[in-house]
Amino acid sequence: MANRNMQQASFQSRNSPKPGRRGTDSPAVEQTPADKGSPAPPPRWSPAVEPTNAAAEESGEGQTNITLDITSFRKPGEKTFTQRSRLFVGSLPLDIQEEEFKNMFAKYGNVKEAFINRERGFGFIRLETRTLAEIAKTELDGSLINNRPIRVRFATHGAALTVRNLLPVVTNELLEQAFSEFGPVERAIVVTDDRGRPTGKGIVEFANKVSARKALERCTEGALLLTNTPCPVIVEPAEHLDDDEGLPEKLLAKTPKYYKEREQPPRFAQPGTFEFEFSSRWKALDEMEKQQREQVDRNIKEAKEKLEAELESAKHEHQLMLMRQDLMRRQEELRRLEELRNQELQRRKQIEMRHEEERRRREEEMMRHREHEDLRRQPDGFKPNYLENREQEMRVGELGPRGAVNMGDGYNQASAGPSANQGQMMGMSGRGGPIGAEAMGTPVMSENGAMVLCLGHVW
């Protein structure tokens, strides 16, 4: 990485067409070599340095200007000042000052955090990116300060978690999105094999320990699901392993046990010897452990396959149950709508009946009002036909057989001569003699159109 970044540096030559000598694999520029016994001076950062060489100037060689851009050591989308760019520095002098400690890393960019424990002689410092931290670690590890070599390592990430039981559809972005609810996430990675296939494991690094502790507790007590399948993730504290530096010889403590074990060089055990016998027993124990682990893995695999089959069956049953519930809900909705429709029809029918009754009532009121108006408009003394007919019937009933004579066609015939008329009138009187002036007949039109003569006595 550092070599690729160094290839992006621009070299400018003033007096010579030949390019100057390339610097080291870091943003650091050329430094004057010092004796091994003398302490290394604190390095200083300079974005553009022009090293001067008196001999080169006298010989006519031009000066070289090296310009490096710190932003070229930052990956696209990479977060800055994370726990991954935090370095541990050990074997520091007890009298080192914080400003001097920062100046050691000044040429590697901005520094955000610097801590020194002078009693135990170690410190921590955080750089801008992981790449710059790697360059600083490579260059400063083993360098001498006051004739004492220092140790530079990456600090342990105290807010990192290991995530297992991930499905193949889980990506880095989904993993970061899921764990962001517990706090700011610096990095979320799904671990893959050499072919890029997911291994079902991942790493989540938080910005602080509080968020990591919260995520660990919540996921342990509950079940965090990342996809549609109810397969919860298993969260555990991350195991920190140093697979970059390992254990060099210079860092191993030289104890008596060390010298005793290192008396003989590496070798193969010869058959029939004491070493070969116990070596075979060790190998047999390892083989038994391997077989048991394989058996456990097979059992776990079979249990997972069985659980997946049960999960698929349960998912189908659950979907059927949801469909039944939805169907019942729809049927209940239809029944309710039908009831509402019937209620609406009944209400409309009642309204129509009330309207019909109101219409009839209005018609009767109008008829009564019209009859009343007709009666009011008739002249005084006028009697309706039905009243006249009733009065005539009452009069005929009072007179009896001598009080009314049918004056139909016979009346018209008797009118031809006075003798005939007189005879008829005598016959009606019932006394064999003429009526004369004792009674006078009043012709009245009956209901059937016949003339009726009403007779009255004159006193």
Side-chain angles (χ1 to χ4, degrees):
M1 176 63 70
N3 292 332
R4 291 197 301 268
N5 295 328
M6 286 300 300
Q7 292 177 2
Q8 300 176 0
S10 62
F11 297 90
Q12 300 177 355
S13 177
R14 295 183 179 178
N15 301 326
S16 176
K18 297 181 180 180
R21 184 168 59 90
R22 180 172 298 181
T24 58
D25 296 344
S26 70
V29 297
E30 277 189 32
Q31 299 180 3
T32 304
D35 297 337
K36 296 182 179 180
S38 61
R44 301 183 182 276
W45 165 257
S46 177
V49 181
E50 298 181 358
T52 59
N53 191 336
E57 290 181 357
E58 294 175 358
S59 62
E61 295 182 359
Q63 297 179 355
T64 302
N65 184 16
I66 301 177
T67 303
L68 295 175
D69 187 8
I70 288 296
T71 59
S72 62
F73 295 92
R74 182 178 176 182
K75 300 177 182 179
E78 182 182 7
K79 298 180 181 179
T80 58
F81 299 106
T82 62
Q83 293 283 347
R84 287 173 49 82
S85 59
R86 188 165 177 260
L87 294 175
F88 165 82
V89 183
S91 302
L92 290 174
L94 301 182
D95 58 347
I96 189 172
Q97 301 298 323
E98 183 176 349
E99 189 66 24
E100 184 180 358
F101 181 63
K102 290 182 178 180
N103 290 335
M104 292 172 54
F105 297 88
K107 66 177 181 179
Y108 304 104
N110 299 325
V111 175
K112 185 177 180 181
E113 175 189 353
F115 169 78
I116 300 176
N117 188 335
R118 294 185 179 87
E119 296 180 357
R120 303 181 61 180
F122 70 89
F124 293 95
I125 194 165
R126 186 180 301 187
L127 299 181
E128 187 173 0
T129 62
R130 174 80 175 189
T131 304
L132 293 174
E134 290 177 352
I135 296 173
K137 172 181 174 298
T138 303
E139 291 189 349
L140 298 181
D141 185 32
S143 61
L144 299 178
I145 297 181
N146 296 340
N147 296 327
R148 185 179 181 181
I150 63 173
R151 294 178 53 194
V152 182
R153 295 287 184 273
F154 280 103
T156 301
H157 201 306
L161 299 176
T162 301
V163 184
R164 297 187 293 105
N165 211 25
L166 298 179
L167 296 179
V169 296
V170 178
T171 59
N172 301 339
E173 291 76 9
L174 179 60
L175 191 62
E176 181 176 359
Q177 176 186 357
F179 282 87
S180 295
E181 64 174 295
F182 306 110
V185 177
E186 293 183 347
R187 192 173 72 110
I189 297 295
V190 176
V191 180
T192 59
D193 57 10
D194 55 347
R195 297 185 179 182
R197 295 174 298 187
T199 59
K201 298 180 181 180
I203 298 175
V204 179
E205 297 175 354
F206 289 92
N208 51 71
K209 294 182 180 180
V210 177
S211 302
R213 191 181 303 111
K214 180 180 178 181
L216 181 61
E217 292 176 356
R218 291 283 303 277
C219 295
T220 303
E221 296 174 358
L224 178 60
L225 304 178
L226 303 184
T227 59
N228 188 33
T229 302
C231 181
V233 296
I234 307 300
V235 181
E236 298 173 345
E239 183 180 2
H240 302 282
L241 301 175
D242 186 4
D243 55 357
D244 293 331
E245 298 295 334
L247 181 61
E249 187 72 24
K250 61 182 180 180
L251 298 180
L252 184 60
K254 306 304 187 292
T255 61
K257 185 177 181 180
Y258 166 82
Y259 291 106
K260 182 179 180 181
E261 292 293 338
R262 300 290 286 271
E263 289 178 354
Q264 296 186 12
R267 65 200 179 278
F268 281 99
Q270 298 297 325
T273 61
F274 171 82
E275 294 178 344
F276 185 83
E277 179 183 356
F278 277 86
S279 298
S280 301
R281 293 175 64 179
W282 276 109
K283 293 181 67 175
L285 180 62
D286 183 75
E287 186 66 22
M288 183 180 63
E289 181 183 2
K290 181 180 178 181
Q291 292 177 0
Q292 291 181 357
R293 289 183 181 274
E294 291 178 352
Q295 182 64 32
V296 171
D297 292 341
R298 285 194 297 268
N299 295 339
I300 294 177
K301 185 178 179 180
E302 293 176 358
K304 286 184 176 180
E305 292 177 352
K306 181 180 179 181
L307 182 60
E308 290 177 356
E310 294 177 356
L311 175 61
E312 291 296 327
S313 177
K315 285 175 64 177
H316 293 160
E317 293 180 359
H318 183 67
Q319 291 177 357
L320 290 176
M321 183 185 67
L322 293 179
M323 293 175 64
R324 293 193 191 98
Q325 293 179 355
D326 185 69
L327 180 60
M328 294 176 63
R329 182 181 60 82
R330 291 176 180 272
Q331 291 178 351
E332 183 67 20
E333 185 70 16
L334 289 176
R335 187 186 62 80
R336 188 177 65 84
L337 293 176
E338 186 67 21
E339 290 180 356
L340 293 176
R341 178 175 173 275
N342 294 336
Q343 293 176 3
E344 183 67 18
L345 292 177
Q346 186 69 17
R347 186 178 65 83
R348 290 182 179 180
K349 187 176 180 180
Q350 293 177 358
I351 292 175
E352 291 178 357
M353 293 176 63
R354 287 197 297 268
H355 289 173
E356 184 67 20
E357 292 178 359
E358 184 70 16
R359 186 180 63 80
R360 291 178 181 177
R361 185 180 62 80
R362 290 179 180 178
E363 289 179 356
E364 291 177 357
E365 290 180 355
M366 290 177 64
M367 291 179 63
R368 286 195 299 267
H369 182 71
R370 190 181 300 115
E371 292 176 358
H372 181 71
E373 288 294 329
D374 293 342
L375 292 174
R376 187 174 61 82
R377 292 175 182 176
Q378 295 296 333
D380 297 339
F382 175 80
K383 296 181 179 180
N385 295 333
Y386 67 90
L387 294 178
E388 294 178 356
N389 297 337
R390 182 65 177 168
E391 185 177 356
Q392 293 174 5
E393 292 176 358
M394 291 175 64
R395 289 178 179 178
V396 170
E398 291 177 356
L399 295 178
R402 62 184 181 87
V405 179
N406 190 354
M407 302 299 293
D409 295 337
Y411 177 79
N412 294 332
Q413 296 174 3
S415 62
S419 60
N421 189 12
Q422 186 177 3
Q424 291 179 0
M425 293 180 64
M426 290 177 62
M428 287 188 299
S429 65
R431 290 182 301 179
I435 297 177
E438 295 180 359
M440 298 181 60
T442 303
V444 179
M445 184 67 67
S446 65
E447 192 173 358
N448 56 3
M451 294 296 294
V452 177
L453 180 63
C454 295
L455 302 177
H457 296 277
V458 179
W459 300 99

